[in-house]
């Protein structure tokens, strides 16, 4: 599923026009993005949480050439799957 | 932040009731959850991709007791942040 399909499904479920559904999806994504850029933790019950992680510098290797490269410290987002979503995914696998 | 912050953003932007905005936020996450539970990945351009991975059965150890055990095959979910967002969070 991509963003356009998500917008169409939200429009259908909530009885919104595509235009309004697009504004809604963009608003939600912009809010999530803002939180991530600001280093805020996001917690959505039943879905999961996004938390900022810092990674220190390290010496890595270019997997193609084997050459050593200095990897700079960086920030990334770690997503932890919520309990309900985890069960939904695992349940689907068992069937 | 939590879902109530998202509801507030929707309220400011759409001008619908707080209740309706809460329902829209719930539907947004519900759609993603249902899609993933059907085994389909979700890609949101500019934000990131939710990618399912099937893991094979493997041998593992109970870290507490040291006992060897079989870790059953399972499906896990990874989130990969978009390139753009990755760059943005490292520029600040």
């Amino acid at each position: 599923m991509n963003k356009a399909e998500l917008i169409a499904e939200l429009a259908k479920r909530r009885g919104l026009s595509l235009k309004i559904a697009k504004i809604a999806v963009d608003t939600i994504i912009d809010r999530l993005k803002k939180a991530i850029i600001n280093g805020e933790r996001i917690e959505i019950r039943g879905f999961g949480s996004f938390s900022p992680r810092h990674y220190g510098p390290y010496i890595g290797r270019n997997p193609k050439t084997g050459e050593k490269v200095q990897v700079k410290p960086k920030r990334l987002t770690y997503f932890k799957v919520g309990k309900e979503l985890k069960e939904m995914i695992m349940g689907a696998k068992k069937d | 932040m939590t879902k109530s912050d998202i509801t507030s953003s929707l309220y400011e932007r759409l001008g619908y009731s707080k209740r309706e905005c809460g329902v829209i936020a719930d539907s947004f996450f519900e759609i993603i959850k249902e899609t993933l539970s059907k085994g389909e990945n979700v890609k949101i351009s500019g934000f990131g991709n939710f990618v399912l991975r099937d893991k094979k059965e493997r041998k593992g150890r109970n870290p507490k007791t040291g006992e060897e055990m079989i870790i059953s095959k399972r499906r896990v979910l990874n989130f990969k942040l978009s390139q753009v967002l990755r760059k943005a969070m490292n520029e600040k």
Side-chain angles (χ1 to χ4, degrees):
Chain A
M1 173 178 269
N2 60 29
K3 199 170 123 186
E5 290 165 331
L6 178 56
I7 290 166
E9 182 61 26
L10 183 68
K12 198 177 110 192
R13 285 197 193 188
R14 299 268 51 88
L16 304 169
S17 69
L18 279 177
K19 191 178 158 237
I20 297 293
K22 183 176 187 301
I23 294 172
V25 167
D26 284 338
T27 302
I28 296 169
I29 293 169
D30 284 347
R31 186 64 188 86
L32 293 170
K33 274 159 77 170
K34 199 176 115 194
I36 287 175
I37 292 170
N38 290 340
E40 251 183 277
R41 186 185 139 83
I42 304 167
E43 189 168 343
I44 310 290
R45 279 272 178 95
F47 185 78
S49 60
F50 299 85
S51 43
R53 291 265 165 109
H54 289 260
Y55 295 88
Y58 63 95
I59 308 280
R61 268 178 199 279
N62 179 330
K64 253 187 204 155
T65 63
E67 211 180 325
K68 279 185 185 171
V69 280
Q70 176 66 45
V71 181
K72 281 186 259 175
K74 61 189 165 195
R75 290 166 65 204
L76 273 176
T77 297
Y78 173 73
F79 176 69
K80 187 167 186 291
V81 187
K83 195 165 169 265
E84 194 195 325
L85 179 54
K86 196 173 189 173
E87 281 165 5
M88 281 170 83
I89 290 166
M90 295 283 260
K93 184 64 190 158
K94 269 176 219 150
D95 293 337
Chain B
M1 65 165 264
T2 64
K3 208 163 60 195
S4 70
D5 296 289
I6 293 171
T7 302
S8 299
S9 294
L10 286 170
Y11 175 73
E12 282 166 28
R13 187 73 179 81
L14 297 174
Y16 291 175
S17 71
K18 277 257 161 104
R19 200 194 148 270
E20 178 59 16
C21 290
V23 176
I24 292 172
D26 282 336
S27 292
F28 174 87
F29 292 105
E30 196 56 41
I31 291 165
I32 297 175
K33 274 158 70 173
E34 285 173 20
T35 305
L36 292 168
S37 73
K38 281 187 276 179
E40 195 186 325
N41 294 339
V42 177
K43 299 181 173 192
I44 303 171
S45 57
F47 181 65
N49 298 343
F50 293 94
V51 184
L52 295 160
R53 278 177 204 281
D54 285 324
K55 300 275 189 186
K56 281 188 221 147
E57 181 182 281
R58 64 185 166 93
K59 265 187 208 160
R61 253 176 219 285
N62 178 330
K64 251 186 205 152
T65 64
E67 206 181 333
E68 227 179 79
M69 52 193 281
I70 300 290
I71 298 169
S72 60
K73 66 173 183 179
R74 62 192 60 216
R75 181 171 277 173
V76 297
L77 175 62
N78 287 146
F79 173 68
K80 191 158 188 285
L81 199 66
S82 88
Q83 222 28 270
V84 187
L85 205 42
R86 223 182 233 246
K87 240 182 140 182
M89 72 186 293
N90 284 291
E91 266 165 11
K92 271 193 90 175

